[in-house]
Amino acid sequence: MTTSNASAAGKIARLLGRGHLKVLVGFWVVVLVGWAGTVATIETFVGLKTSTWWWFTRSAPKYFLLVLGILAASVYLPRFIAYGFTRRDVRVGTGALAGVLALAFGALVLVGFGIESVVFSATGISDRLTDPYPISSVGDAVGIAVRMILLCLVYPCTGWVLGAGYYRLGVWRGSLFLIPGIAPVFLAETALDAGWLASRFALGAAGAAAAAACVAASAVLAHFVTRDLPIRSTSG
Amino acid sequence: MSPGIEVRDLRLRYGRTVALDGLTFRLDGGKVYGLLGRNGSGKTSLLSVLAAFRKASGGEVLVGGQNPFENAAVVRDICFIRDRVDVSDDERVSAALAYARDVRPNWDAAYADKLVNLFRLPLRKSVSALARGQRSALGITLGLATRAPLTIFDESYLGMDAPSRYAFYDELLNDYLANPRTIIVSTHLIEEVGSLFEEVVIIDEGRLVVHEQADGLRARGASVTGPAADVDRLVGELRTGRDLVVLGEQQLGGTKSTTVFGHLDESARARVRASGLELGPVALQDLFVHLTKKPENLENSR
């Protein structure tokens, strides 16, 4: 019988969030500064032709959360268990935090587009863009937010699966676990046309539903790989 | 609350390796228990199952009447301090203590401060910069100040110097008397810490060798010393009709010392003395050495 409680999972989410607040803020400061520097540099020497914010945010946030997922399973989970939490508490707490971060990242990406479009309009860059701006309607904004949120869910789930796989199975067998581990990410990326396969598989709402299913599949994998995860013995 | 522990036919396997092989015993709780065993005997495996670090391959473990594995109500009351403390290497000592304060419901911050001073722990240093003994002292500080109803120390003193180890033993006893709970100490330094144990569990090759009151176990061991022929004859006579096991023999020239284990009643003791042989006590550590040298003896003797 597995028992858990919401307060323990909430405490885990708060502890992880608090512990990574500086890193999270630092990440978005780097993204913002990098974007501003890139805009200034390209505009000065070449002239902007497309949205630079999309360059910075289409991949970096999801990879950032992938790393957090790996760390959560391979480093934080064993420690939480050593301090009197259950694996389920940690899964639920980490999942809750991933959900909050996915929503926050989706919102920040939209805010970034808003800032960029204001800057582009104020400086006349908008008139010189050769590529269409990624957001020209509410539908575009919703689409980008949904993509970002789904990817920001499936990546940390996958990170958790991979981190737990290596922690549980070691380097060699853990590497074999990469194949089922990354399958949900690959399928979600494909379904969302989010970068890997250009525009060959633009599925719209069906793609979003398929990606949501990938998130669920990844969460199920995360459950199975850690539900009875043995905590390694220590030495030295 | 001082939870009792019930272990029934407990089995744990790592692939083809059998770590625990049908272990069965019961601890009433509210005592200091010594868990003894040779290297690789299954001590850490047993403790890992008790603390829900691992799921048993078979059998049953109950802590306070409930299976601890993935049981939030049970595991929050368990503190398992291993030979290497479960903290992040790159965080400061102060942060490691703050973390425990945040997550442990019974954390005693004032007592933790006292232990930090006692063990001279540098709060501003990172854990990775601590000497081996200081890391162990940090683990002991976490273990004692957590005040968990079930507190487990598994070789937690590694690298600590003698004064620090004795300070640990003193604190363990004093804090246990002030805040009674179930404490399990797994150790190889039996002579140092043996006096703290109220009960002793000895395991070997994943099986129970003996579970006894510590004093009772000591009383069941005796050494008979004297001329070899006399010792052999008398021990042979004593074993007739008694559940007495010869654990070991040592001989130097014509003098022999035989260690026996079992119930040696007063008439038997008087007979040894009357025959001019010396009847001596056996240290817990010596009993342990003998008992684990002869695993076929005394299994499930309780």
Side-chain angles (χ1 to χ4, degrees), chain B residues 172-189:
Chain B
L172 179 68
L173 183 59
N174 292 334
D175 195 52
Y176 162 70
L177 292 172
N179 303 279
R181 53 202 195 263
T182 302
I183 296 176
I184 301 175
V185 179
S186 168
T187 182
H188 287 300
L189 299 180

Side-chain angles (χ1 to χ4, degrees), chain B residues 68-149:
Chain B
F69 192 78
E70 288 295 88
N71 188 327
V74 176
V75 294
R76 76 170 172 222
D77 286 340
I78 299 175
C79 179
F80 180 23
I81 302 297
R82 305 194 280 179
D83 55 352
R84 187 172 181 198
V85 63
D86 287 287
V87 297
S88 175
D89 276 354
D90 56 2
E91 71 183 351
R92 290 182 176 181
V93 171
S94 56
L97 295 170
Y99 185 87
R101 180 199 64 207
D102 287 346
V103 299
R104 287 300 196 177
N106 301 326
W107 180 255
D108 187 329
Y111 186 50
D113 289 343
K114 180 193 166 190
L115 294 173
V116 164
N117 289 328
L118 178 69
F119 294 122
R120 300 177 187 175
L121 284 172
L123 289 171
R124 296 182 62 79
K125 266 193 177 181
S126 67
V127 172
S128 60
L130 296 180
R132 184 70 188 86
Q134 287 177 310
R135 287 191 191 205
S136 294
L138 174 59
I140 282 163
T141 299
L142 292 168
L144 289 174
T146 292
R147 294 259 166 80

Side-chain angles (χ1 to χ4, degrees), chain A residues 3 18 79 87 231-232 234, chain B residues 53 70 72 82 91 102:
Chain A
T3 66
R18 198 172 69 196
R79 189 176 185 192
R87 291 154 185 78
I231 304 308
R232 280 186 190 163
T234 55
Chain B
F53 278 39
E70 288 295 88
R82 305 194 280 179
E91 71 183 351
D102 287 346

Side-chain angles (χ1 to χ4, degrees), chain A residues 46-58:
Chain A
V46 185
L48 279 164
K49 295 185 173 64
T50 187
S51 166
T52 312
W53 181 248
W54 195 220
W55 290 358
F56 275 88
T57 55
R58 69 191 300 170

Side-chain angles (χ1 to χ4, degrees), chain A:
Chain A
M1 181 184 68
T2 295
T3 66
S4 181
N5 61 74
S7 66
K11 183 177 276 187
I12 286 165
R14 284 194 300 277
L15 281 168
L16 283 176
R18 198 172 69 196
H20 289 88
L21 194 57
K22 285 181 185 172
V23 179
L24 286 163
V25 170
F27 169 77
W28 282 102
V29 167
V30 167
V31 169
L32 198 60
V33 170
W35 167 79
T38 303
V39 166
T41 304
I42 295 177
E43 180 61 11
T44 302
F45 294 104
V46 185
L48 279 164
K49 295 185 173 64
T50 187
S51 166
T52 312
W53 181 248
W54 195 220
W55 290 358
F56 275 88
T57 55
R58 69 191 300 170
S59 296
K62 65 192 183 189
Y63 292 135
F64 179 84
L65 292 175
L66 175 79
V67 173
L68 276 190
I70 292 171
L71 287 175
S74 59
V75 178
Y76 308 138
L77 170 67
R79 189 176 185 192
F80 276 122
I81 290 169
Y83 282 76
F85 293 94
T86 64
R87 291 154 185 78
R88 186 175 187 280
D89 287 336
V90 185
R91 275 199 311 274
V92 172
T94 309
L97 179 66
V100 170
L101 290 179
L103 290 172
F105 279 25
L108 284 168
V109 167
L110 289 186
V111 168
F113 273 121
I115 293 170
E116 186 182 60
S117 61
V118 167
V119 170
F120 280 13
S121 297
T123 55
I125 295 173
S126 299
D127 301 332
R128 302 197 304 272
L129 293 180
T130 53
D131 294 342
Y133 197 72
I135 295 179
S136 58
S137 67
V138 173
D140 290 341
V142 170
I144 281 184
V146 167
R147 282 183 177 191
M148 186 56 60
I149 290 167
L150 288 171
L151 290 174
C152 286
L153 285 171
V154 76
Y155 269 82
C157 277
T158 297
W160 175 283
V161 169
L162 299 183
Y166 275 108
Y167 181 87
R168 180 171 195 147
L169 303 172
V171 174
W172 296 110
R173 288 193 298 157
S175 296
L176 291 176
F177 199 63
L178 279 170
I179 297 165
I182 65 169
V185 155
F186 181 81
L187 294 172
E189 289 273 11
T190 304
L192 290 170
D193 178 26
W196 284 6
L197 297 175
S199 57
R200 288 167 52 201
F201 299 101
L203 298 177
C214 292
V215 172
S218 194
V220 169
L221 265 178
H223 164 74
F224 278 106
V225 78
T226 46
R227 65 178 175 168
D228 59 355
L229 183 79
I231 304 308
R232 280 186 190 163
S233 58
T234 55
S235 61

